[in-house]
Amino acid sequence: HPPFLEGMCDSCHDSTASQKLIYKGKELCFTCHDDFTKDKKVVHYPVEADECLECHEPHQSFNEKLLKKRIPQMCHECHDEGELKIQPQHQGKEKCLECHDPHATDREKLLK
């Protein structure tokens, strides 16, 4: 994450030596990132509940988008893999994000 790499801890934290964040949840993220939930009809629960850190590492990660795990393993933390695989629309598919937006969309089931 660029602020972490550049030692700009106080862009997110109360001071460079503090663990306390200047804002909570997505409010903090949206100080730099565009609000991709604005005007969307469906918002993924973790985003809506300010739980960005359930999926993302705020400092660094080996996974793209600073995810804690790779896709689809990240999705399977909450969504039951077995239940998903038996649904006809999911058979033979491994990449959740080909059809679903992980944050917000105007279509139900977070379809793109």
PDB file of all heavy atoms in Angstrom, residues 1 3 8-13 21-36:
ATOM      1  N   HIS A   1       0.858  -1.165   0.000  1.00  0.00           N
ATOM      2  CA  HIS A   1       0.000   0.000   0.000  1.00  0.00           C
ATOM      3  C   HIS A   1       0.905   1.229   0.000  1.00  0.00           C
ATOM      4  O   HIS A   1       1.747   1.366   0.890  1.00  0.00           O
ATOM      5  CB  HIS A   1      -0.887  -0.058   1.235  1.00  0.00           C
ATOM      6  CG  HIS A   1      -2.120   0.761   1.156  1.00  0.00           C
ATOM      7  ND1 HIS A   1      -2.729   1.255   2.274  1.00  0.00           N
ATOM      8  CD2 HIS A   1      -2.865   1.186   0.126  1.00  0.00           C
ATOM      9  CE1 HIS A   1      -3.813   1.930   1.932  1.00  0.00           C
ATOM     10  NE2 HIS A   1      -3.914   1.904   0.629  1.00  0.00           N
ATOM     11  N   PRO A   3       0.889   4.431   0.997  1.00  0.00           N
ATOM     12  CA  PRO A   3       1.190   5.190   2.222  1.00  0.00           C
ATOM     13  C   PRO A   3       2.102   4.413   3.180  1.00  0.00           C
ATOM     14  O   PRO A   3       2.970   4.987   3.825  1.00  0.00           O
ATOM     15  CB  PRO A   3      -0.175   5.440   2.860  1.00  0.00           C
ATOM     16  CG  PRO A   3      -1.148   5.299   1.747  1.00  0.00           C
ATOM     17  CD  PRO A   3      -0.553   4.297   0.802  1.00  0.00           C
ATOM     18  N   MET A   8       4.143   6.989   5.340  1.00  0.00           N
ATOM     19  CA  MET A   8       3.147   8.022   5.626  1.00  0.00           C
ATOM     20  C   MET A   8       2.060   7.463   6.553  1.00  0.00           C
ATOM     21  O   MET A   8       0.869   7.522   6.257  1.00  0.00           O
ATOM     22  CB  MET A   8       2.538   8.525   4.318  1.00  0.00           C
ATOM     23  CG  MET A   8       3.553   9.175   3.402  1.00  0.00           C
ATOM     24  SD  MET A   8       2.893   9.540   1.748  1.00  0.00           S
ATOM     25  CE  MET A   8       1.365  10.344   2.109  1.00  0.00           C
ATOM     26  N   CYS A   9       2.480   6.928   7.673  1.00  0.00           N
ATOM     27  CA  CYS A   9       1.564   6.281   8.613  1.00  0.00           C
ATOM     28  C   CYS A   9       0.437   7.214   9.053  1.00  0.00           C
ATOM     29  O   CYS A   9      -0.698   6.790   9.241  1.00  0.00           O
ATOM     30  CB  CYS A   9       2.328   5.787   9.831  1.00  0.00           C
ATOM     31  SG  CYS A   9       3.698   4.686   9.419  1.00  0.00           S
ATOM     32  N   ASP A  10       0.770   8.492   9.194  1.00  0.00           N
ATOM     33  CA  ASP A  10      -0.229   9.445   9.684  1.00  0.00           C
ATOM     34  C   ASP A  10      -1.284   9.810   8.640  1.00  0.00           C
ATOM     35  O   ASP A  10      -2.183  10.578   8.912  1.00  0.00           O
ATOM     36  CB  ASP A  10       0.429  10.696  10.265  1.00  0.00           C
ATOM     37  CG  ASP A  10       1.325  11.426   9.284  1.00  0.00           C
ATOM     38  OD1 ASP A  10       1.598  10.890   8.186  1.00  0.00           O
ATOM     39  OD2 ASP A  10       1.753  12.542   9.621  1.00  0.00           O
ATOM     40  N   SER A  11      -1.213   9.219   7.434  1.00  0.00           N
ATOM     41  CA  SER A  11      -2.334   9.409   6.504  1.00  0.00           C
ATOM     42  C   SER A  11      -3.526   8.558   6.921  1.00  0.00           C
ATOM     43  O   SER A  11      -4.639   8.865   6.561  1.00  0.00           O
ATOM     44  CB  SER A  11      -2.010   9.089   5.062  1.00  0.00           C
ATOM     45  OG  SER A  11      -0.844   8.492   4.809  1.00  0.00           O
ATOM     46  N   CYS A  12      -3.278   7.518   7.714  1.00  0.00           N
ATOM     47  CA  CYS A  12      -4.356   6.664   8.213  1.00  0.00           C
ATOM     48  C   CYS A  12      -4.422   6.637   9.738  1.00  0.00           C
ATOM     49  O   CYS A  12      -5.497   6.462  10.303  1.00  0.00           O
ATOM     50  CB  CYS A  12      -4.175   5.241   7.714  1.00  0.00           C
ATOM     51  SG  CYS A  12      -4.234   5.059   5.924  1.00  0.00           S
ATOM     52  N   HIS A  13      -3.276   6.773  10.369  1.00  0.00           N
ATOM     53  CA  HIS A  13      -3.187   6.685  11.826  1.00  0.00           C
ATOM     54  C   HIS A  13      -3.108   8.072  12.454  1.00  0.00           C
ATOM     55  O   HIS A  13      -2.656   9.026  11.826  1.00  0.00           O
ATOM     56  CB  HIS A  13      -1.967   5.859  12.239  1.00  0.00           C
ATOM     57  CG  HIS A  13      -2.050   4.427  11.818  1.00  0.00           C
ATOM     58  ND1 HIS A  13      -2.697   3.472  12.559  1.00  0.00           N
ATOM     59  CD2 HIS A  13      -1.575   3.795  10.716  1.00  0.00           C
ATOM     60  CE1 HIS A  13      -2.616   2.308  11.940  1.00  0.00           C
ATOM     61  NE2 HIS A  13      -1.936   2.469  10.817  1.00  0.00           N
ATOM     62  N   LEU A  21      -6.680   4.714  14.325  1.00  0.00           N
ATOM     63  CA  LEU A  21      -6.979   5.196  12.975  1.00  0.00           C
ATOM     64  C   LEU A  21      -7.697   6.541  13.025  1.00  0.00           C
ATOM     65  O   LEU A  21      -8.452   6.811  13.958  1.00  0.00           O
ATOM     66  CB  LEU A  21      -7.830   4.173  12.235  1.00  0.00           C
ATOM     67  CG  LEU A  21      -7.162   2.821  11.995  1.00  0.00           C
ATOM     68  CD1 LEU A  21      -8.166   1.828  11.425  1.00  0.00           C
ATOM     69  CD2 LEU A  21      -5.965   2.964  11.077  1.00  0.00           C
ATOM     70  N   ILE A  22      -7.487   7.362  11.994  1.00  0.00           N
ATOM     71  CA  ILE A  22      -8.123   8.677  11.974  1.00  0.00           C
ATOM     72  C   ILE A  22      -9.614   8.596  11.641  1.00  0.00           C
ATOM     73  O   ILE A  22     -10.377   9.477  12.011  1.00  0.00           O
ATOM     74  CB  ILE A  22      -7.402   9.657  11.017  1.00  0.00           C
ATOM     75  CG1 ILE A  22      -7.345   9.109   9.599  1.00  0.00           C
ATOM     76  CG2 ILE A  22      -6.020   9.984  11.535  1.00  0.00           C
ATOM     77  CD1 ILE A  22      -6.760  10.074   8.569  1.00  0.00           C
ATOM     78  N   TYR A  23     -10.027   7.542  10.927  1.00  0.00           N
ATOM     79  CA  TYR A  23     -11.433   7.283  10.620  1.00  0.00           C
ATOM     80  C   TYR A  23     -11.669   5.785  10.754  1.00  0.00           C
ATOM     81  O   TYR A  23     -10.725   4.999  10.743  1.00  0.00           O
ATOM     82  CB  TYR A  23     -11.795   7.706   9.194  1.00  0.00           C
ATOM     83  CG  TYR A  23     -11.636   9.170   8.922  1.00  0.00           C
ATOM     84  CD1 TYR A  23     -10.600   9.630   8.104  1.00  0.00           C
ATOM     85  CD2 TYR A  23     -12.514  10.109   9.458  1.00  0.00           C
ATOM     86  CE1 TYR A  23     -10.451  10.984   7.840  1.00  0.00           C
ATOM     87  CE2 TYR A  23     -12.372  11.455   9.195  1.00  0.00           C
ATOM     88  CZ  TYR A  23     -11.334  11.886   8.384  1.00  0.00           C
ATOM     89  OH  TYR A  23     -11.192  13.220   8.127  1.00  0.00           O
ATOM     90  N   LYS A  24     -12.934   5.386  10.792  1.00  0.00           N
ATOM     91  CA  LYS A  24     -13.278   3.975  10.867  1.00  0.00           C
ATOM     92  C   LYS A  24     -13.720   3.467   9.500  1.00  0.00           C
ATOM     93  O   LYS A  24     -14.323   4.199   8.728  1.00  0.00           O
ATOM     94  CB  LYS A  24     -14.406   3.743  11.875  1.00  0.00           C
ATOM     95  CG  LYS A  24     -13.984   3.946  13.302  1.00  0.00           C
ATOM     96  CD  LYS A  24     -15.106   3.568  14.233  1.00  0.00           C
ATOM     97  CE  LYS A  24     -14.669   3.766  15.671  1.00  0.00           C
ATOM     98  NZ  LYS A  24     -15.697   3.370  16.619  1.00  0.00           N
ATOM     99  N   GLY A  25     -13.436   2.196   9.244  1.00  0.00           N
ATOM    100  CA  GLY A  25     -13.950   1.490   8.078  1.00  0.00           C
ATOM    101  C   GLY A  25     -13.730   2.180   6.753  1.00  0.00           C
ATOM    102  O   GLY A  25     -12.695   2.784   6.510  1.00  0.00           O
ATOM    103  N   LYS A  26     -14.751   2.090   5.910  1.00  0.00           N
ATOM    104  CA  LYS A  26     -14.628   2.608   4.551  1.00  0.00           C
ATOM    105  C   LYS A  26     -14.439   4.119   4.512  1.00  0.00           C
ATOM    106  O   LYS A  26     -13.897   4.647   3.552  1.00  0.00           O
ATOM    107  CB  LYS A  26     -15.808   2.164   3.698  1.00  0.00           C
ATOM    108  CG  LYS A  26     -17.150   2.677   4.148  1.00  0.00           C
ATOM    109  CD  LYS A  26     -18.268   2.110   3.286  1.00  0.00           C
ATOM    110  CE  LYS A  26     -19.593   2.590   3.761  1.00  0.00           C
ATOM    111  NZ  LYS A  26     -20.392   1.588   4.429  1.00  0.00           N
ATOM    112  N   GLU A  27     -14.837   4.816   5.561  1.00  0.00           N
ATOM    113  CA  GLU A  27     -14.609   6.263   5.610  1.00  0.00           C
ATOM    114  C   GLU A  27     -13.109   6.549   5.497  1.00  0.00           C
ATOM    115  O   GLU A  27     -12.704   7.499   4.832  1.00  0.00           O
ATOM    116  CB  GLU A  27     -15.174   6.839   6.905  1.00  0.00           C
ATOM    117  CG  GLU A  27     -15.082   8.351   6.989  1.00  0.00           C
ATOM    118  CD  GLU A  27     -15.659   8.898   8.288  1.00  0.00           C
ATOM    119  OE1 GLU A  27     -16.131   8.132   9.139  1.00  0.00           O
ATOM    120  OE2 GLU A  27     -15.606  10.132   8.442  1.00  0.00           O
ATOM    121  N   LEU A  28     -12.308   5.718   6.120  1.00  0.00           N
ATOM    122  CA  LEU A  28     -10.851   5.864   6.020  1.00  0.00           C
ATOM    123  C   LEU A  28     -10.389   5.559   4.598  1.00  0.00           C
ATOM    124  O   LEU A  28      -9.632   6.331   4.014  1.00  0.00           O
ATOM    125  CB  LEU A  28     -10.151   4.934   7.016  1.00  0.00           C
ATOM    126  CG  LEU A  28      -8.632   4.928   6.954  1.00  0.00           C
ATOM    127  CD1 LEU A  28      -8.074   6.298   7.307  1.00  0.00           C
ATOM    128  CD2 LEU A  28      -8.071   3.872   7.880  1.00  0.00           C
ATOM    129  N   CYS A  29     -10.868   4.464   4.041  1.00  0.00           N
ATOM    130  CA  CYS A  29     -10.472   4.075   2.679  1.00  0.00           C
ATOM    131  C   CYS A  29     -10.841   5.157   1.662  1.00  0.00           C
ATOM    132  O   CYS A  29     -10.072   5.445   0.741  1.00  0.00           O
ATOM    133  CB  CYS A  29     -11.121   2.760   2.292  1.00  0.00           C
ATOM    134  SG  CYS A  29     -10.705   1.390   3.403  1.00  0.00           S
ATOM    135  N   PHE A  30     -12.014   5.752   1.851  1.00  0.00           N
ATOM    136  CA  PHE A  30     -12.503   6.732   0.887  1.00  0.00           C
ATOM    137  C   PHE A  30     -11.861   8.105   1.036  1.00  0.00           C
ATOM    138  O   PHE A  30     -12.178   9.024   0.295  1.00  0.00           O
ATOM    139  CB  PHE A  30     -14.029   6.837   0.943  1.00  0.00           C
ATOM    140  CG  PHE A  30     -14.730   5.572   0.495  1.00  0.00           C
ATOM    141  CD1 PHE A  30     -15.997   5.282   0.956  1.00  0.00           C
ATOM    142  CD2 PHE A  30     -14.126   4.680  -0.371  1.00  0.00           C
ATOM    143  CE1 PHE A  30     -16.655   4.128   0.547  1.00  0.00           C
ATOM    144  CE2 PHE A  30     -14.760   3.522  -0.778  1.00  0.00           C
ATOM    145  CZ  PHE A  30     -16.022   3.248  -0.315  1.00  0.00           C
ATOM    146  N   THR A  31     -10.936   8.263   1.976  1.00  0.00           N
ATOM    147  CA  THR A  31     -10.172   9.511   2.006  1.00  0.00           C
ATOM    148  C   THR A  31      -9.210   9.554   0.819  1.00  0.00           C
ATOM    149  O   THR A  31      -8.860  10.628   0.344  1.00  0.00           O
ATOM    150  CB  THR A  31      -9.382   9.702   3.320  1.00  0.00           C
ATOM    151  OG1 THR A  31      -8.473   8.632   3.493  1.00  0.00           O
ATOM    152  CG2 THR A  31     -10.320   9.833   4.503  1.00  0.00           C
ATOM    153  N   CYS A  32      -8.818   8.381   0.303  1.00  0.00           N
ATOM    154  CA  CYS A  32      -7.931   8.303  -0.874  1.00  0.00           C
ATOM    155  C   CYS A  32      -8.611   7.650  -2.077  1.00  0.00           C
ATOM    156  O   CYS A  32      -8.432   8.078  -3.213  1.00  0.00           O
ATOM    157  CB  CYS A  32      -6.677   7.502  -0.538  1.00  0.00           C
ATOM    158  SG  CYS A  32      -5.622   8.263   0.695  1.00  0.00           S
ATOM    159  N   HIS A  33      -9.365   6.587  -1.831  1.00  0.00           N
ATOM    160  CA  HIS A  33     -10.017   5.841  -2.909  1.00  0.00           C
ATOM    161  C   HIS A  33     -11.400   6.426  -3.197  1.00  0.00           C
ATOM    162  O   HIS A  33     -12.087   6.888  -2.284  1.00  0.00           O
ATOM    163  CB  HIS A  33     -10.169   4.362  -2.520  1.00  0.00           C
ATOM    164  CG  HIS A  33      -8.867   3.685  -2.255  1.00  0.00           C
ATOM    165  ND1 HIS A  33      -8.056   3.207  -3.253  1.00  0.00           N
ATOM    166  CD2 HIS A  33      -8.236   3.416  -1.083  1.00  0.00           C
ATOM    167  CE1 HIS A  33      -6.976   2.669  -2.712  1.00  0.00           C
ATOM    168  NE2 HIS A  33      -7.052   2.782  -1.401  1.00  0.00           N
ATOM    169  N   ASP A  34     -11.810   6.357  -4.469  1.00  0.00           N
ATOM    170  CA  ASP A  34     -13.156   6.799  -4.841  1.00  0.00           C
ATOM    171  C   ASP A  34     -14.195   5.941  -4.128  1.00  0.00           C
ATOM    172  O   ASP A  34     -13.995   4.738  -3.940  1.00  0.00           O
ATOM    173  CB  ASP A  34     -13.365   6.672  -6.355  1.00  0.00           C
ATOM    174  CG  ASP A  34     -12.568   7.684  -7.137  1.00  0.00           C
ATOM    175  OD1 ASP A  34     -12.212   8.745  -6.574  1.00  0.00           O
ATOM    176  OD2 ASP A  34     -12.285   7.422  -8.318  1.00  0.00           O
ATOM    177  N   ASP A  35     -15.318   6.539  -3.782  1.00  0.00           N
ATOM    178  CA  ASP A  35     -16.413   5.809  -3.151  1.00  0.00           C
ATOM    179  C   ASP A  35     -17.147   5.017  -4.231  1.00  0.00           C
ATOM    180  O   ASP A  35     -18.043   5.517  -4.899  1.00  0.00           O
ATOM    181  CB  ASP A  35     -17.369   6.769  -2.441  1.00  0.00           C
ATOM    182  CG  ASP A  35     -18.506   6.050  -1.737  1.00  0.00           C
ATOM    183  OD1 ASP A  35     -18.651   4.823  -1.899  1.00  0.00           O
ATOM    184  OD2 ASP A  35     -19.255   6.732  -1.013  1.00  0.00           O
ATOM    185  N   PHE A  36     -16.743   3.760  -4.396  1.00  0.00           N
ATOM    186  CA  PHE A  36     -17.319   2.896  -5.432  1.00  0.00           C
ATOM    187  C   PHE A  36     -18.684   2.348  -5.022  1.00  0.00           C
ATOM    188  O   PHE A  36     -19.308   1.634  -5.784  1.00  0.00           O
ATOM    189  CB  PHE A  36     -16.368   1.756  -5.771  1.00  0.00           C
ATOM    190  CG  PHE A  36     -15.717   1.145  -4.562  1.00  0.00           C
ATOM    191  CD1 PHE A  36     -16.405   0.303  -3.716  1.00  0.00           C
ATOM    192  CD2 PHE A  36     -14.405   1.444  -4.263  1.00  0.00           C
ATOM    193  CE1 PHE A  36     -15.811  -0.237  -2.592  1.00  0.00           C
ATOM    194  CE2 PHE A  36     -13.789   0.901  -3.145  1.00  0.00           C
ATOM    195  CZ  PHE A  36     -14.502   0.054  -2.312  1.00  0.00           C
TER     196      PHE A  36
END
